[in-house]
Amino acid sequence: MIYDHSELSQIGLLCNLMQRCWKRDPVERPEVTECLKTIKRMPRAIPSRERGDKLKEQSATLLMQSGENHRLHGRREEASRMFEQALAIARSNEDQYTVADLVVRLGYSHLEQHQDAEAEGYYVEALAICKSIGYDCRRADAIIGLGCVHHARSNHVKAVASFTEALNICNNIDYSSGKADVFQGLGDVFQGLADVLSGAWEIYRNAAGVKGVGSKRPEACGAYGKARAMYENIWSPRYQLRPLGWLEGGQPAYFKAEAPYVKALATHKSVGNLAGQANALKGLGDVRLKQFKYIEAEASYVEAMSAYKSIGNDLGQANALKGVGDARLKQFKYIEAEASYVEAINIYKSIGNNLEQANALKGLGDVRLKLFKYIEAEAPYVEAISIYKSIGNNLEQANALKGLGNAPLEQFKSIEAEASYVEAMSIYARIGNQLDQANVLKGLGEVTLNYFTYIDAEASTVRAMSIHKRIGNQLDQANALRSLGDVRLKQFKSIEAEAPYVKALTIYRSVGNHLGQADALKGLGDVRLKQFKYIEAEASYVEAGASYVEAMTTYKSIENYLGQAEALKGLGDVRLKQSKYSEAEAFYVEAMTAYKRIGNDLGQANALRSLGDVQLKQSEYIEAEASYVRAMSIYKSIGNHLDQASALRWLGDFRLKQLKYSEAEAFYVEAMTTYKSIGNDLGQANALRSLGDVQLNQSKYSEAEASYVEAMSVYKSIGNYLGQANALKGLGYVRLKQLKYVEAEASYADAINICKSIESHRGQANALKRLSDVQLKQSKEVEVKGSSVEAMSI
C-alpha cells in the first residue's frame, strides 16, 4: 500500500483522487470542479537533485511543501524540521511572505504536539509580519491559530474573540478555507464549553437536587452560575450561531455544538480540503457521541476514518477508529468495538503515540469485560497502567487499575481485585479525587461480599457513603446507602437494613431519580417481608411498582430504550415479590422484547431467566425449562460463560427437584467445567457442592464426600467462609450416612466455628441442630441438650 511507504505516501491524495476517477459507475466519480479544487489544494514538491559531492539543492517553498506533506500525514516532528529549515532560507532571502507562511505552519505543528507556548510565539510573530506587509489571509490564519491556543488553555472567552476577529477578515477577503477553519475552531470551543457546563450542572445537581435547593451548597451554585455566565459572555451573533441553550433539567445541549462542525464540513467540501473534512467529521462524531446519537456518531467516525486514510494521516485514522470503538461499545456491538480498538492500538503503537495507545487499551479492556472475556481483559489494562505510569498520568492510571480490579472481581478472584482497588484508591487519595475514591470503595465492598466478610463490606460502603456526603454528591450517596441496605439484608439484619433504604429513598426523591427510588423501595419491601410486616412490605412493593412506571414513562419520553427495558424488568421483579405471577410474566416478556429491540442480548437473556423463575413458581415446568435453555443459549452465543454456567446450575437444580438425579448430575458437571474454564473459583465450588447434594440423594456417598471435600478446599482458597461452612455441613451429613460419627461431629463443629466468626447466626443454628443429630446417634444426651439449647437461643 502506498500509505505505508515513506516516499509514495506523500502522493496519497492524488492516488485517492485517481481511484475515484476510475470508478465504474459514473455517479461515483468526482466532478471536474472537485478535481480542480482537490489538485489545487495538494501539497507539491519537486524532487531535490544532487550535484556531485555537494549538498542537495534546497528552496524554502519546496521544503515548506514537503513539510506540509509530513504534517498532513501526522509526522509532526519531521514537518517541524522541514519548516525550520525552510524558515532559515526564507529569512536569509528576506522573503517576508514565505516567512509568514512558514511561521504560521510552525505554529500549527507545535500546537498539534501540545506545545501551546511555542505555538503562541510563532502566531504572534506571524501576525506582526502579516500586518506590516498586508498579508490578510495569513493574518486570519494566525488569529485562528491564537484562538486554538486559547482553546487549548480552556480560555473560551478569548478563543471565541479570536475566531470572531478572524471570521470578519475571512468574510472581507472571501477566504473560504479560513472560514472553514474558524467554524472548526468554534465547534471545538462549543464542545469544550458544553463539557464545562455539563460538569458544573452535575456539581449543582448533586449538591442541590433538581428542585433547586441551592442554599445547601453555595459553592455548587457558584460554579453553576459561573459556567452559565461564561457561556453568555462568549456567545456572539456575528457567526450566525444560536447559543448552546439548555435542555430541561439543566443539562448542556451538545447538539448546539453541531452547527459549526456542519458549517466547517460544508465549507471544507466546497474548497476540496479532505483533511479539513476529516477533522470536521471527527468533531461531529464527538458531539454526537455525547448526545447519545450513537448510530450517527459511528457514521461520522467511519467517514472521518476513510478521509484520514485517504490522506495517509495515521494519527487521525487511529483517533477515528477509537471513536468508532466508543460508539459501538455504547450500541452493545461489543465484537465490532473490540476490532476497532485493536486496529487503533496497532496504529498508535506504530506511530509511537503512547497516551492514545493507553486510552485505546483501556477501551479494549472495558469491551472485553462486556464480552465476559475476563482473562483477556486483564492484559490491556495492565499495559495501559504501565504506559500511564511511565508518562505520569496518575488519574488514568487509577482509572485503569479500577478496570483491572473489575476483571478479577467478575471472576470472583477477590484477592486480585482487592489489590487493584486498593492501589487505585491510594492514587485517587493522593491526587485528591474523592469521587472516584468513593467509587473504588464501593468496589471494595463488593470484593468483601465475595469473601462473605460482611463486616468489611459494610465498612467499605460506609466510608464510600461518607465521602460522597462530604463532597455533596447526593446521587452516589444514595447509591451507597442502598448498597449498605443490601449488605445488611444479606446478614439477616433486617432492622438495621431498613434505615439506609429509607435515607436512600429520601435522596432519590429529592433529585428526581425514579429508577433509584424504585430500587430502594424494592429493598424496603424485602426488609419488611423479612420482619413479617406483610402489609408494609406490600405497600413498599406497590410504591416501587409506581416508581418503575414513572421511570419507564420518563425514559420513554426521552427515547432511552435501555432505561425503559430496565424499568420493565424492575416491574417484573416487584410483581414476582408480590406473587402476582401473571403480571410479572407479562412485564418480563415486554422487557425481553425491549432489550431485543436495542440489540442488548445480555438484558434479553436476564429477562428470560427471570421469566423462567416466574414460570417455575406457577408450576409451568416445561415453559420454565424452555426459558432457562433459551437464556443459556444466548449467554453462550455472546460468550457470557459465567451466566451460561449459572443457567446450567439452575437446570441442575430443576432436575434435582424433579428427582431426575442423573440429568441433574450431568448439568452440575458441565457447570463446574465451565466455571473452571473461566477461572471462576466460587462458581466451581458452588457447582461441586450441588454435585455433592445430588450424589448424596443417589446414595453415592464416596463420590459425594469427594465433591464436598473439593468444594471446601476451593472455598478455603478464596476465603469464602460461608461456602466453606456449608460444604462442611454437607460433609458432616454424608459422614453421618456412612456412620462415621466422629468425623461427622468434627465437620459440624468446624462449620459452627466458622459461622460464629462471620456472624452467620442462621448457619450456626442449623449446624448446631445437625450436630445434635450426630450426638443423638452416639447417645451423648448431655451434649445433645447443650447443642439444642444453644441452637434455640440463636
Side-chain angles (χ1 to χ4, degrees), residues 144-159:
I144 291 167
L146 283 170
C148 293
V149 167
H150 294 315
H151 169 59
R153 294 171 176 171
S154 299
N155 194 329
H156 304 294
V157 176
K158 284 189 176 181

Side-chain angles (χ1 to χ4, degrees), residues 432-488:
N433 187 331
Q434 295 184 75
L435 177 61
D436 282 312
Q437 189 182 347
N439 290 334
V440 170
L441 274 165
K442 186 173 179 292
L444 272 171
E446 291 177 26
V447 166
T448 48
L449 271 180
N450 282 348
Y451 283 141
F452 289 84
T453 51
Y454 296 115
I455 297 168
D456 293 341
E458 188 169 338
S460 295
T461 309
V462 168
R463 280 181 66 195
M465 184 180 66
S466 173
I467 293 172
H468 286 308
K469 189 175 182 179
R470 186 168 67 246
I471 65 177
N473 185 342
Q474 287 197 307
L475 184 59
D476 283 319
Q477 185 189 343
N479 292 337
L481 279 162
R482 186 158 54 84
S483 295
L484 182 60
D486 294 342
V487 169
R488 286 176 176 172

Side-chain angles (χ1 to χ4, degrees), residues 335-586:
I335 295 169
E336 296 94 324
E338 183 180 21
S340 298
Y341 285 131
V342 168
E343 196 175 344
I345 289 163
N346 289 335
I347 296 174
Y348 285 133
K349 271 185 182 175
S350 70
I351 61 177
N353 189 320
N354 290 331
L355 176 60
E356 293 301 337
Q357 183 188 338
N359 292 338
L361 281 161
K362 185 179 171 296
L364 181 61
D366 293 342
V367 81
R368 283 180 174 168
L369 277 184
K370 296 288 186 184
L371 283 165
F372 312 102
K373 297 180 176 179
Y374 302 125
I375 296 167
E376 295 95 321
E378 288 183 30
Y381 281 132
V382 169
E383 196 175 346
I385 290 163
S386 174
I387 294 171
Y388 287 133
K389 195 172 184 180
S390 69
I391 61 178
N393 191 327
N394 293 320
L395 176 61
E396 291 303 335
Q397 184 188 345
N399 290 340
L401 276 162
K402 188 167 63 173
L404 184 61
N406 293 339
L409 180 63
E410 294 292 346
Q411 299 171 71
F412 295 89
K413 294 181 177 177
S414 302
I415 296 168
E416 295 90 329
E418 185 175 16
S420 297
Y421 284 140
V422 167
E423 192 176 350
M425 193 168 65
S426 170
I427 295 171
Y428 286 133
R430 192 170 69 244
I431 64 177
N433 187 331
Q434 295 184 75
L435 177 61
D436 282 312
Q437 189 182 347
N439 290 334
V440 170
L441 274 165
K442 186 173 179 292
L444 272 171
E446 291 177 26
V447 166
T448 48
L449 271 180
N450 282 348
Y451 283 141
F452 289 84
T453 51
Y454 296 115
I455 297 168
D456 293 341
E458 188 169 338
S460 295
T461 309
V462 168
R463 280 181 66 195
M465 184 180 66
S466 173
I467 293 172
H468 286 308
K469 189 175 182 179
R470 186 168 67 246
I471 65 177
N473 185 342
Q474 287 197 307
L475 184 59
D476 283 319
Q477 185 189 343
N479 292 337
L481 279 162
R482 186 158 54 84
S483 295
L484 182 60
D486 294 342
V487 169
R488 286 176 176 172
L489 194 59
K490 284 178 195 261
Q491 298 175 76
F492 309 105
K493 296 179 179 178
S494 56
I495 295 170
E496 295 93 326
E498 190 168 356
Y501 283 131
V502 170
K503 285 181 184 176
L505 180 61
T506 304
I507 296 172
Y508 283 132
R509 278 176 175 157
S510 74
V511 299
N513 188 317
H514 300 304
L515 198 58
Q517 218 174 301
D519 289 340
L521 280 162
K522 185 148 67 78
L524 264 177
D526 294 343
V527 161
R528 286 162 181 171
L529 201 62
K530 296 282 184 187
Q531 296 173 26
F532 308 106
K533 296 179 180 177
Y534 299 119
I535 295 170
E536 294 93 327
E538 175 70 15
S540 296
Y541 288 137
V542 168
E543 198 177 345
S547 295
Y548 279 128
V549 169
E550 203 167 342
M552 187 173 63
T553 305
T554 304
Y555 286 129
K556 200 170 185 179
S557 69
I558 60 173
E559 296 185 354
N560 185 330
Y561 300 116
L562 178 60
Q564 286 178 57
E566 288 177 348
L568 283 162
K569 171 76 167 52
L571 275 166
D573 294 340
V574 166
R575 294 294 184 264
L576 183 60
K577 294 279 186 184
Q578 294 173 295
S579 303
K580 296 181 178 179
Y581 301 129
S582 298
E583 291 179 42
E585 190 169 355

Side-chain angles (χ1 to χ4, degrees), residues 465-711:
M465 184 180 66
S466 173
I467 293 172
H468 286 308
K469 189 175 182 179
R470 186 168 67 246
I471 65 177
N473 185 342
Q474 287 197 307
L475 184 59
D476 283 319
Q477 185 189 343
N479 292 337
L481 279 162
R482 186 158 54 84
S483 295
L484 182 60
D486 294 342
V487 169
R488 286 176 176 172
L489 194 59
K490 284 178 195 261
Q491 298 175 76
F492 309 105
K493 296 179 179 178
S494 56
I495 295 170
E496 295 93 326
E498 190 168 356
Y501 283 131
V502 170
K503 285 181 184 176
L505 180 61
T506 304
I507 296 172
Y508 283 132
R509 278 176 175 157
S510 74
V511 299
N513 188 317
H514 300 304
L515 198 58
Q517 218 174 301
D519 289 340
L521 280 162
K522 185 148 67 78
L524 264 177
D526 294 343
V527 161
R528 286 162 181 171
L529 201 62
K530 296 282 184 187
Q531 296 173 26
F532 308 106
K533 296 179 180 177
Y534 299 119
I535 295 170
E536 294 93 327
E538 175 70 15
S540 296
Y541 288 137
V542 168
E543 198 177 345
S547 295
Y548 279 128
V549 169
E550 203 167 342
M552 187 173 63
T553 305
T554 304
Y555 286 129
K556 200 170 185 179
S557 69
I558 60 173
E559 296 185 354
N560 185 330
Y561 300 116
L562 178 60
Q564 286 178 57
E566 288 177 348
L568 283 162
K569 171 76 167 52
L571 275 166
D573 294 340
V574 166
R575 294 294 184 264
L576 183 60
K577 294 279 186 184
Q578 294 173 295
S579 303
K580 296 181 178 179
Y581 301 129
S582 298
E583 291 179 42
E585 190 169 355
F587 281 124
Y588 286 137
V589 168
E590 202 176 340
M592 192 172 63
T593 305
Y595 282 125
K596 192 174 183 179
R597 181 173 57 191
I598 59 174
N600 188 332
D601 295 328
L602 177 60
Q604 189 185 344
N606 289 339
L608 269 165
R609 183 185 67 195
S610 297
L611 182 61
D613 294 341
V614 80
Q615 287 164 338
L616 199 60
K617 290 281 186 183
Q618 298 175 89
S619 304
E620 296 172 354
Y621 300 119
I622 296 170
E623 293 87 343
E625 185 176 3
S627 295
Y628 288 140
V629 169
R630 279 180 66 196
M632 186 176 66
S633 175
I634 294 173
Y635 288 135
K636 192 173 183 179
S637 70
I638 62 175
N640 184 343
H641 302 301
L642 176 61
D643 282 317
Q644 182 191 344
S646 298
L648 284 162
R649 269 195 70 209
W650 300 322
L651 284 166
D653 295 342
F654 189 58
R655 290 287 186 266
L656 186 60
K657 285 177 183 175
Q658 294 175 304
L659 310 180
K660 296 180 179 178
Y661 299 127
S662 298
E663 292 177 38
E665 189 171 0
F667 280 123
Y668 289 138
V669 168
E670 192 178 347
M672 184 181 64
T673 306
T674 307
Y675 281 127
K676 196 171 184 179
S677 70
I678 60 173
N680 188 325
D681 296 329
L682 179 60
Q684 185 188 345
N686 289 338
L688 276 163
R689 187 158 57 86
S690 295
L691 186 60
D693 294 342
V694 79
Q695 288 164 338
L696 186 61
N697 276 290
Q698 296 175 84
S699 303
K700 296 179 178 179
Y701 299 129
S702 298
E703 293 94 322
E705 185 175 7
S707 296
Y708 287 133
V709 166
E710 192 178 348

